[in-house]
Amino acid sequence: MSFPQRRPRRLRTTPAMRRLTAEFRLDPAELILPAFVREGITEPNPLTSMPGVVQHTMDSLKKAAAEAVDLGVGGIMLFGIPAERDAVGSAGTDPNGILNRGIAAVREEVGDELVIMSDVCLDEFTDHGHCGVLDENGVVDNDTTLEIYGRMAVEQARAGAHVLGPSGMMDGQIAVIRQALDEAGYTDVSLFAYAAKYASAFYGPFREAVDSQLKGDRRTYQMDAANRREALVEVELDLEEGADMVMVKPAMSYLDVLADVAAMSPVPVGAYQISGEYAMIEAAAANGWIDRRRAIEESVLGIKRAGANMILTYWATELAAWLKESK
Ligand code: PBG
């Protein structure tokens, strides 16, 4: 009798065999492209810490959205960078604020061909860079912030967003936003809750992307990297409050959390491959230290394997093009 009889390598012998027996494969439809639109610029502005990513003009944003549609990308997540900031983030609730104009422009460009999502959070709009307003002691005031989120959400729905992504990690934000939307008649606008969002060093390049004014950190509202079980509390609360989809963020350093959430969630689960994850791979690839395309594909596939139904990635469009060409 020859040894060994069990040879798992048999299923790895040819590309065709590996393709046939793959347990997971990526699909452009599950990818979401995060995109930044900046007020007052006439040319797209490249980001130093995220090579290949730009702050868009209204025109270049529309082109990026149209290109995403052509390649079968599932959705776009919009962030706005205002020209003026204040303590309460007024540009976020202004119907003519940059994010709301960006949503309307994308909706006009692509209609319902792409799921249009937008960030419900104050950090891009406040002059102190926190995700909520501050009380007299400089602490982020949960309940005062909620009221502003409600108004912000209604304006984003009015502008034409299909899905809102509350990312501020205020307690009760999903319930308050749901109620505000329902009262304004936007009962069909969905909530994609950034349910388990951790305070992470990997958001670094995003700070450049949105020209963040933040000094300090977000540890009093975003989750502690030391906690796994607590993610389930956050997800359960968001589900009770009416979340239609839930997200784990960042992705790479939190794949265990993603797997836990995927195992218990009755609603679709997303994961956000964030700016620092993007920057690390781009930087290593630029140095010739890793194979860029393989590293990108492997990193996104890992997020899918951990249980994500939807993946936010700055490579969404490029990855969709690769997937199309390999079909
Ligand atoms: C908050 C928000 C952040 C990101 C998405 N939404 C920044 C933060 O919480 O500090 C980060 C995304 C990324 O790093 O790619 N509006």
Side-chain angles (χ1 to χ4, degrees):
M1 188 179 90
S2 78
F3 176 86
Q5 275 189 305
R6 301 282 305 274
R7 292 179 186 272
R9 287 185 55 187
R10 282 180 198 126
L11 300 188
R12 301 175 199 144
T13 46
T14 67
M17 185 65 92
R18 293 194 293 272
R19 190 177 63 205
L20 178 71
T21 59
E23 294 177 45
F24 293 92
R25 61 189 96 239
L26 296 172
D27 187 318
E30 70 205 349
L31 303 178
I32 300 164
L33 176 70
F36 306 103
V37 57
R38 179 169 186 163
E39 190 166 33
I41 55 171
T42 52
E43 289 297 321
N45 184 31
L47 297 170
T48 317
S49 54
M50 297 179 76
V53 177
V54 301
Q55 293 173 334
H56 283 291
T57 64
M58 211 53 88
D59 261 5
S60 70
L61 177 68
K62 286 197 275 186
K63 281 200 198 96
E67 194 191 0
V69 170
D70 287 344
L71 288 160
V73 169
I76 191 166
M77 175 66 83
L78 301 173
F79 298 91
I81 303 123
E84 310 278 345
R85 296 182 164 89
D86 63 22
V88 295
S90 306
T93 46
D94 178 354
N96 283 316
I98 183 65
L99 178 54
N100 293 323
R101 280 191 278 133
I103 294 166
V106 170
R107 183 68 188 262
E108 194 188 297
E109 179 76 18
V110 302
D112 294 336
E113 300 284 305
L114 191 62
V115 179
I116 301 167
M117 310 185 173
S118 54
D119 188 53
V120 182
C121 194
L122 285 178
D123 65 316
E124 292 94 5
F125 302 102
T126 51
D127 56 13
H128 46 74
H130 275 293
C131 294
V133 293
L134 306 180
D135 67 15
E136 64 275 17
N137 301 316
V139 176
V140 174
D141 184 334
N142 194 86
D143 300 10
T144 312
T145 301
L146 292 181
E147 186 273 325
I148 302 178
Y149 283 177
R151 285 190 282 129
M152 198 174 175
V154 169
E155 291 311 326
Q156 294 183 3
R158 201 191 313 280
H162 298 106
V163 174
L164 306 186
S167 67
M169 289 298 281
M170 295 301 126
D171 293 335
Q173 63 184 12
I174 297 300
V176 167
I177 291 170
R178 184 71 269 161
Q179 193 181 346
L181 290 172
D182 289 353
E183 281 170 11
Y186 296 108
T187 50
D188 280 344
V189 170
S190 314
L191 295 181
F192 189 1
Y194 286 64
K197 179 173 179 182
Y198 286 84
S200 172
F202 295 104
Y203 299 139
F206 182 90
R207 303 276 154 84
E208 182 197 354
V210 300
D211 189 20
S212 173
Q213 307 298 305
L214 184 70
K215 291 175 197 73
D217 59 54
R218 307 195 194 287
R219 290 176 202 260
T220 67
Y221 43 106
Q222 296 180 344
M223 288 177 62
D224 188 328
N227 296 348
R228 177 171 179 173
R229 205 179 280 142
E230 189 190 8
L232 301 182
V233 175
E234 287 285 1
V235 170
E236 274 165 12
L237 284 172
D238 283 359
L239 290 171
E240 276 167 29
E241 292 179 28
D244 300 287
M245 304 175 260
V246 293
M247 193 196 300
V248 173
K249 178 188 182 186
M252 192 179 65
S253 305
Y254 301 87
L255 294 177
D256 56 334
V257 175
L258 176 56
D260 288 352
V261 172
M264 62 71 89
S265 174
V267 302
V269 175
Y272 197 144
Q273 184 178 49
I274 62 162
S275 56
E277 301 178 53
Y278 177 92
M280 283 194 293
I281 290 179
E282 289 291 347
N287 277 293
W289 296 338
I290 56 174
D291 178 322
R292 179 173 179 275
R293 178 165 168 171
R294 284 189 56 200
I296 293 170
E297 289 172 341
E298 185 178 328
S299 67
V300 178
L301 190 57
I303 296 167
K304 174 141 185 192
R305 199 186 58 238
N309 305 120
M310 300 167 291
I311 301 164
L312 292 106
T313 172
Y314 296 96
W315 291 301
T317 305
E318 189 175 9
L319 190 51
W322 293 339
L323 291 167
K324 197 172 171 185
E325 113 205 341
S326 67
K327 276 238 168 80

